Amino acid sequence: MQQNSQGSASRGERTDGTTQPGPRQGDTTAGPAPETLIEIPNRGLHRYTRVKPGERTTTIRQAGPGTRGEPLAHVHVPQDAPKGGRMARPPFTVTGTDGATLCSVRSAGTGLYDVYGADGAPIGRITRHPGRLLWPRRVRWSVRPAHGGPALAAEVGPVRTWVVLCVISPLYFVCWAIMAVYGSLALLFGDKESAKEDAKWEMELPAWTQWRTPDDADAALEYKSDRVYRLVPARVDRRLAYAQAVLHVWDRG
């Protein structure tokens, strides 16, 4: 993965956060679309009220082979911003490593977030749709550019994974009860560190999420696991991808 500005240009990114057009359809000489792996620690997002004024809330970092977690951008949430819950996150700003603003995100209603560029012009809207009434209640996301172009849509967790979870959930509760008893015994005999580790044991809900257009088989943005995202800069504005990834990882808890 290239780290300098020349490498960014070769990946179809401009320094202002926009993307250059990808390979033309039917161009058989073009290889697979380049991609970028990013990681967003979520702890700071949930503790933004404890962050000192002026300090970054969390950092968007490079991930994947050949990287050392170099920062790509910083996320800033106002310390005094009210907590609106999953359907109305506080406003936040994403800046580059040089301190220049890449984008800002503001709640526009229940589950609606408008994304603005550094000049204040709108660049897109992100929508969080709550799960349907019937199980599985998968959260859905959509990313719609402000200046036209197809919207990206995604559902959290594949259906087949939710079905598997439903099948094995009785076994999970049995295992959870056993671990709870073991943790209680550990506390009784004074092994508090072991008890704390046992208390953390839990089943993670299906999380794999892919944002794609209706006509595109490959995802423009994908949540893999452990707060790591894969994005294809030629298919999605980097600023919108950063904003969506922050909201998504915040939503994951």
Side-chain angles (χ1 to χ4, degrees):
M1 183 180 298
Q2 299 291 332
Q3 307 300 326
N4 54 28
S5 59
Q6 182 178 359
S8 297
S10 65
R11 292 193 300 269
E13 300 180 30
R14 293 194 181 118
T15 56
D16 63 354
T18 60
T19 58
Q20 296 177 352
R24 293 175 298 177
Q25 295 183 353
D27 185 358
T28 58
T29 62
E35 61 185 36
T36 301
L37 292 179
I38 64 173
E39 179 183 10
I40 306 178
N42 63 346
R43 180 175 298 180
L45 294 171
H46 293 285
R47 300 180 179 180
Y48 71 88
T49 56
R50 304 179 187 178
V51 177
K52 295 180 180 179
E55 291 187 357
R56 64 184 68 109
T57 306
T58 190
T59 298
I60 301 174
R61 300 184 180 277
Q62 296 189 49
T67 65
R68 297 189 299 271
E70 294 89 345
L72 292 171
H74 303 298
V75 181
H76 306 267
V77 183
Q79 184 185 28
D80 57 351
K83 294 183 178 180
R86 293 188 174 184
M87 298 303 293
R89 293 296 182 190
F92 62 90
T93 302
V94 181
T95 63
T97 54
D98 59 354
T101 299
L102 294 178
C103 66
S104 60
V105 181
R106 301 290 183 271
S107 175
T110 303
L112 300 176
Y113 301 92
D114 285 333
V115 185
Y116 302 91
D119 59 355
I123 59 176
R125 168 167 285 189
I126 298 172
T127 305
R128 181 192 187 275
H129 307 272
R132 298 182 176 92
L133 294 178
L134 298 179
W135 195 92
R137 299 191 62 184
R138 296 190 296 167
V139 173
R140 293 173 291 124
W141 293 92
S142 64
V143 180
R144 184 174 299 278
H147 304 293
L152 301 175
E155 290 184 309
V156 178
V159 173
R160 60 182 180 274
T161 308
W162 282 100
V163 172
V164 172
L165 177 66
C166 181
V167 172
I168 68 174
S169 57
L171 178 61
Y172 161 73
F173 286 111
V174 172
C175 294
W176 178 85
I178 294 174
M179 296 303 293
V181 172
Y182 181 80
S184 299
L185 293 175
L187 280 175
L188 182 63
F189 290 100
D191 191 355
K192 295 182 179 180
E193 292 300 322
S194 177
K196 290 179 181 179
E197 292 300 321
D198 293 337
K200 295 178 182 178
W201 189 86
E202 61 179 356
M203 178 185 293
E204 184 177 355
L205 296 177
W208 183 36
T209 310
Q210 291 184 307
W211 288 261
R212 57 161 60 94
T213 64
D215 300 327
D216 199 345
D218 190 21
L221 177 66
E222 175 185 15
Y223 176 75
K224 301 173 72 68
S225 62
D226 298 327
R227 301 173 297 280
V228 173
Y229 295 80
R230 179 185 69 90
L231 68 94
V232 182
R235 294 178 179 169
V236 58
D237 189 316
R238 180 168 59 104
R239 299 168 296 176
L240 285 176
Y242 285 172
Q244 171 65 97
V246 169
L247 288 169
H248 181 261
V249 76
W250 206 338
D251 201 59
R252 293 294 305 162

